[in-house]
Amino acid sequence: MEERSLLPQDVVAALDEIDRILRQMLGLSELSAGDGNINRTNLQKVLEHLQKKIDHTADRLEGK
């Protein structure tokens, strides 16, 4: 299979997506650390899903 070179705008877009996801994860972790009534099991599932999205985006950067 031929490996495709990423264009600079592809890299920037991927890094922007990772940054957006990390900010979302930070917000969720801050919510979890508060005194609110949070379902931490569901929160953990959401965080794991977001981590998979980061992994998928990083894999695109590596050309996998």
Side-chain angles (χ1 to χ4, degrees), residues 18-46:
I18 290 171
D19 181 64
R20 186 192 64 75
I21 294 168
L22 288 171
R23 289 178 190 277
Q24 188 176 4
M25 292 174 82
L26 176 61
L28 291 172
S29 65
E30 289 172 344
L31 183 65
S32 174
D35 293 333
N37 184 15
I38 301 297
N39 183 326
R40 286 180 171 74
T41 301
N42 286 344
L43 178 62
Q44 183 63 38
K45 289 178 184 177
V46 171

Side-chain angles (χ1 to χ4, degrees), residues 43-54:
L43 178 62
Q44 183 63 38
K45 289 178 184 177
V46 171
L47 290 171
E48 288 170 3
H49 173 74
L50 292 171
Q51 177 62 49
K52 287 179 184 177
K53 288 177 73 172
I54 289 173

Side-chain angles (χ1 to χ4, degrees), residues 9-20:
Q9 63 264 27
D10 295 332
V11 174
V12 170
L15 292 175
D16 284 345
E17 176 68 7
I18 290 171
D19 181 64
R20 186 192 64 75

